[in-house]
Coordinates of all heavy atoms in Angstrom, one line a residue:
C19 N -38.5 39.5 72.0 CA -37.1 38.9 71.9 C -37.3 37.5 71.5 O -37.7 36.6 72.3 CB -36.4 39.0 73.3 SG -34.8 38.1 73.4
A20 N -37.0 37.1 70.3 CA -37.2 35.8 69.8 C -35.9 35.0 69.9 O -34.8 35.5 69.4 CB -37.6 35.8 68.3
A21 N -35.9 33.9 70.5 CA -34.7 33.0 70.7 C -34.7 31.9 69.6 O -35.7 31.5 69.1 CB -34.7 32.4 72.0
S22 N -33.5 31.5 69.2 CA -33.3 30.5 68.2 C -33.5 29.1 68.6 O -33.5 28.2 67.8 CB -31.9 30.7 67.6 OG -30.9 30.4 68.6
R23 N -33.7 28.9 69.9 CA -34.0 27.6 70.4 C -34.8 27.7 71.7 O -35.2 28.8 72.1 CB -32.7 26.8 70.7 CG -31.8 27.5 71.8 CD -30.6 26.7 72.1 NE -29.6 26.7 71.0 CZ -28.5 26.1 71.0 NH1 -28.1 25.5 72.0 NH2 -27.7 26.2 69.9
S24 N -35.2 26.6 72.3 CA -36.1 26.6 73.4 C -35.5 27.5 74.5 O -34.3 27.5 74.8 CB -36.3 25.2 73.9 OG -37.0 25.2 75.1
I25 N -36.5 28.2 75.2 CA -36.1 29.1 76.3 C -36.4 28.4 77.6 O -36.2 29.1 78.7 CB -36.7 30.4 76.2 CG1 -38.3 30.3 76.3 CG2 -36.3 31.1 74.9 CD1 -39.0 31.6 76.4
L26 N -36.8 27.2 77.6 CA -37.2 26.5 78.9 C -36.1 26.4 79.8 O -36.3 26.5 81.1 CB -37.8 25.2 78.6 CG -39.2 25.1 77.9 CD1 -39.6 23.7 77.5 CD2 -40.3 25.8 78.8
S27 N -34.9 26.2 79.3 CA -33.7 26.0 80.2 C -33.0 27.3 80.6 O -32.0 27.2 81.3 CB -32.7 25.0 79.5 OG -32.3 25.6 78.3
L28 N -33.5 28.4 80.1 CA -32.9 29.7 80.4 C -33.5 30.2 81.7 O -34.7 30.6 81.8 CB -33.2 30.7 79.3 CG -32.5 30.4 77.9 CD1 -33.0 31.3 76.8 CD2 -31.0 30.7 78.1
N29 N -32.7 30.1 82.7 CA -33.2 30.4 84.1 C -33.1 31.9 84.3 O -33.8 32.4 85.2 CB -32.3 29.7 85.1 CG -32.5 28.2 85.1 OD1 -33.7 27.7 85.0 ND2 -31.4 27.5 85.2
I30 N -32.4 32.6 83.5 CA -32.2 34.1 83.6 C -32.6 34.7 82.3 O -31.9 34.4 81.3 CB -30.8 34.5 84.1 CG1 -30.5 33.8 85.4 CG2 -30.7 36.0 84.1 CD1 -29.1 34.1 85.9
M31 N -33.5 35.6 82.3 CA -33.8 36.4 81.1 C -34.2 37.8 81.6 O -34.8 38.0 82.6 CB -35.0 35.8 80.3 CG -34.6 34.5 79.6 SD -35.6 34.1 78.1 CE -34.9 35.3 77.0
G32 N -33.8 38.8 80.8 CA -34.1 40.2 81.1 C -33.9 41.1 80.0 O -33.6 40.8 78.9
W33 N -34.1 42.4 80.3 CA -33.9 43.5 79.4 C -33.0 44.6 80.0 O -33.1 44.9 81.2 CB -35.3 44.1 79.0 CG -36.2 43.3 78.2 CD1 -37.1 42.3 78.7 CD2 -36.3 43.2 76.8 NE1 -37.7 41.7 77.6 CE2 -37.3 42.3 76.4 CE3 -35.6 43.9 75.8 CZ2 -37.6 42.0 75.1 CZ3 -36.0 43.7 74.4 CH2 -37.0 42.7 74.1
Y34 N -32.2 45.1 79.1 CA -31.3 46.2 79.5 C -31.5 47.3 78.5 O -32.0 47.1 77.4 CB -29.8 45.8 79.5 CG -29.5 44.8 80.6 CD1 -29.9 43.5 80.6 CD2 -28.7 45.2 81.7 CE1 -29.6 42.6 81.7 CE2 -28.3 44.4 82.7 CZ -28.8 43.1 82.7 OH -28.5 42.2 83.7
R35 N -31.0 48.5 78.8 CA -31.1 49.6 77.8 C -29.9 50.5 77.9 O -29.2 50.5 79.0 CB -32.4 50.4 78.0 CG -32.4 51.2 79.3 CD -33.8 51.9 79.5 NE -33.9 52.6 80.7 CZ -35.0 53.2 81.2 NH1 -36.1 53.1 80.5 NH2 -35.0 53.9 82.3
Q36 N -29.6 51.2 76.8 CA -28.4 52.1 76.8 C -28.8 53.3 76.0 O -29.1 53.3 74.8 CB -27.2 51.4 76.1 CG -25.9 52.2 76.2 CD -24.7 51.4 75.8 OE1 -24.8 50.4 75.2 NE2 -23.6 51.9 76.2
A37 N -28.8 54.5 76.7 CA -29.0 55.7 76.1 C -27.7 56.3 75.6 O -26.6 55.9 76.0 CB -29.6 56.7 77.1
P38 N -27.7 57.2 74.6 CA -26.5 57.8 74.1 C -25.6 58.5 75.2 O -26.1 59.2 76.0 CB -27.0 58.9 73.1 CG -28.4 58.4 72.7 CD -28.9 57.8 73.9
G39 N -24.4 58.1 75.2 CA -23.4 58.6 76.2 C -23.6 58.0 77.6 O -22.9 58.5 78.5
K40 N -24.4 57.0 77.7 CA -24.6 56.4 79.0 C -24.2 55.0 79.0 O -24.1 54.3 78.0 CB -26.1 56.5 79.4 CG -26.7 57.9 79.5 CD -26.1 58.7 80.7 CE -26.7 60.0 80.9 NZ -28.2 59.9 81.3
Q41 N -24.0 54.4 80.2 CA -23.7 53.0 80.4 C -25.0 52.2 80.2 O -26.1 52.7 80.5 CB -23.1 52.7 81.8 CG -21.8 53.4 82.0 CD -20.7 52.6 81.3 OE1 -20.7 51.4 81.0 NE2 -19.6 53.4 80.8
R42 N -24.8 51.0 79.8 CA -25.9 50.1 79.7 C -26.4 49.8 81.1 O -25.7 49.5 82.0 CB -25.5 48.8 79.0 CG -26.7 47.8 78.7 CD -26.2 46.6 77.9 NE -25.7 47.1 76.6 CZ -25.3 46.2 75.6 NH1 -25.4 44.9 75.8 NH2 -24.8 46.7 74.5
E43 N -27.8 49.9 81.3 CA -28.3 49.7 82.6 C -29.4 48.6 82.6 O -30.1 48.4 81.6 CB -28.9 51.0 83.1 CG -30.1 51.5 82.3 CD -30.7 52.8 82.8 OE1 -30.1 53.4 83.9 OE2 -31.6 53.4 82.3
Y44 N -29.6 48.0 83.7 CA -30.6 47.0 84.0 C -32.0 47.6 84.0 O -32.2 48.7 84.6 CB -30.2 46.3 85.3 CG -31.4 45.9 86.2 CD1 -32.1 44.8 86.0 CD2 -31.6 46.7 87.3 CE1 -33.1 44.5 86.9 CE2 -32.6 46.4 88.2 CZ -33.3 45.2 88.0 OH -34.3 44.9 88.9
V45 N -32.9 47.0 83.3 CA -34.3 47.4 83.3 C -35.2 46.4 84.1 O -35.9 46.8 85.0 CB -34.9 47.5 81.8 CG1 -36.4 47.8 81.8 CG2 -34.1 48.6 81.1
V46 N -35.1 45.1 83.7 CA -35.8 44.1 84.4 C -35.1 42.7 84.2 O -34.5 42.5 83.1 CB -37.3 44.0 83.9 CG1 -37.4 43.7 82.4 CG2 -38.0 42.9 84.7
I47 N -35.1 41.9 85.2 CA -34.5 40.5 85.0 C -35.4 39.5 85.8 O -36.0 39.8 86.8 CB -33.1 40.5 85.6 CG1 -32.4 39.2 85.3 CG2 -33.1 40.8 87.1 CD1 -30.9 39.1 85.6
T48 N -35.6 38.4 85.1 CA -36.2 37.2 85.8 C -35.1 36.2 86.2 O -34.3 35.9 85.3 CB -37.3 36.6 84.9 OG1 -36.7 36.1 83.7 CG2 -38.4 37.6 84.6
R49 N -35.2 35.7 87.4 CA -34.2 34.8 87.9 C -34.8 33.9 88.9 O -35.4 34.4 89.9 CB -33.0 35.6 88.5 CG -31.9 34.8 89.1 CD -30.8 35.7 89.6 NE -31.2 36.5 90.7 CZ -30.7 37.6 91.1 NH1 -29.7 38.1 90.4 NH2 -31.2 38.3 92.1
G50 N -34.7 32.6 88.6 CA -35.2 31.6 89.6 C -36.7 31.8 89.8 O -37.2 31.5 91.0
G51 N -37.5 32.2 88.8 CA -38.9 32.4 89.0 C -39.3 33.7 89.6 O -40.5 34.0 89.7
S52 N -38.3 34.5 90.0 CA -38.6 35.9 90.5 C -38.3 36.9 89.5 O -37.5 36.8 88.6 CB -37.8 36.1 91.8 OG -38.2 35.1 92.8
T53 N -39.0 38.1 89.6 CA -38.8 39.2 88.7 C -38.4 40.4 89.5 O -39.0 40.8 90.5 CB -40.1 39.5 87.9 OG1 -40.5 38.3 87.3 CG2 -39.9 40.6 86.9
Y54 N -37.4 41.1 88.9 CA -36.9 42.3 89.6 C -36.9 43.5 88.5 O -36.2 43.3 87.5 CB -35.5 42.1 90.1 CG -35.4 40.8 91.0 CD1 -35.1 39.6 90.5 CD2 -35.5 41.0 92.4 CE1 -35.0 38.5 91.3 CE2 -35.5 39.9 93.2 CZ -35.2 38.6 92.6 OH -35.1 37.5 93.5
Y55 N -37.5 44.6 88.9 CA -37.6 45.7 88.0 C -36.7 46.9 88.6 O -36.7 47.1 89.8 CB -39.0 46.2 87.9 CG -39.9 45.3 87.1 CD1 -40.7 44.3 87.8 CD2 -40.1 45.4 85.7 CE1 -41.5 43.5 87.1 CE2 -40.9 44.6 85.0 CZ -41.7 43.6 85.7 OH -42.5 42.8 85.0
A56 N -36.1 47.6 87.7 CA -35.4 48.8 88.1 C -36.5 49.8 88.6 O -37.6 49.8 88.1 CB -34.7 49.4 87.0
D57 N -36.1 50.6 89.6 CA -37.0 51.6 90.2 C -37.6 52.5 89.1 O -38.8 52.9 89.2 CB -36.4 52.4 91.3 CG -36.1 51.5 92.5 OD1 -36.7 50.5 92.7 OD2 -35.3 52.0 93.4
S58 N -36.8 52.8 88.1 CA -37.2 53.8 87.1 C -38.4 53.3 86.2 O -39.1 54.1 85.6 CB -36.1 54.2 86.2 OG -35.5 53.1 85.6
V59 N -38.6 52.0 86.2 CA -39.6 51.4 85.3 C -40.7 50.6 86.1 O -41.7 50.2 85.5 CB -39.0 50.5 84.2 CG1 -37.9 51.3 83.5 CG2 -38.5 49.2 84.8
K60 N -40.5 50.4 87.3 CA -41.4 49.6 88.1 C -42.8 50.2 88.1 O -43.0 51.4 88.3 CB -40.9 49.5 89.6 CG -41.7 48.5 90.4 CD -41.0 48.3 91.8 CE -41.7 47.2 92.6 NZ -41.1 47.0 93.9
G61 N -43.8 49.4 87.8 CA -45.2 49.8 87.7 C -45.6 50.3 86.3 O -46.8 50.4 86.0
R62 N -44.6 50.4 85.4 CA -44.9 50.8 84.0 C -44.5 49.7 83.0 O -45.2 49.6 82.0 CB -44.1 52.1 83.7 CG -44.5 53.3 84.5 CD -43.8 54.6 84.0 NE -42.4 54.5 84.1 CZ -41.6 54.6 83.0 NH1 -42.1 54.8 81.8 NH2 -40.3 54.5 83.1
F63 N -43.5 48.9 83.3 CA -43.0 47.9 82.4 C -43.4 46.5 82.9 O -43.3 46.3 84.2 CB -41.5 48.0 82.1 CG -41.0 49.2 81.4 CD1 -41.9 50.2 81.1 CD2 -39.7 49.3 81.0 CE1 -41.5 51.4 80.4 CE2 -39.3 50.4 80.3 CZ -40.1 51.4 80.0
T64 N -43.6 45.6 82.0 CA -43.9 44.2 82.4 C -43.2 43.2 81.5 O -43.4 43.3 80.3 CB -45.4 43.9 82.4 OG1 -46.1 44.9 83.3 CG2 -45.7 42.5 83.0

C-alpha cells in the first residue's frame, strides 16, 4: 500500500477485505502502536 505522502502522522493503518456478496470486513489494524488481527488470519498474516 503506497501512500502519496508521509505516513509518519498516520496513527491508524490497516487492511480490510471484501468477498463477492459479503460485507467488507476487518483483517488487521494498527492503532496507537498496537496491532490487532482478525481471528481468521491471526498467525498467518503480518
Side-chain angles (χ1 to χ4, degrees):
C19 173
S22 61
R23 62 180 68 180
S24 174
I25 63 173
L26 289 174
S27 61
L28 291 167
N29 294 313
I30 301 174
M31 294 204 73
W33 292 87
Y34 291 71
R35 66 187 182 187
Q36 187 168 20
K40 300 291 186 66
Q41 294 287 328
R42 188 173 300 185
E43 65 180 1
Y44 138 82
V45 174
V46 58
I47 186 169
T48 60
R49 182 177 61 205
S52 298
T53 304
Y54 307 89
Y55 293 91
D57 288 342
S58 59
V59 307
K60 191 173 184 178
R62 300 188 297 120
F63 292 7
T64 305

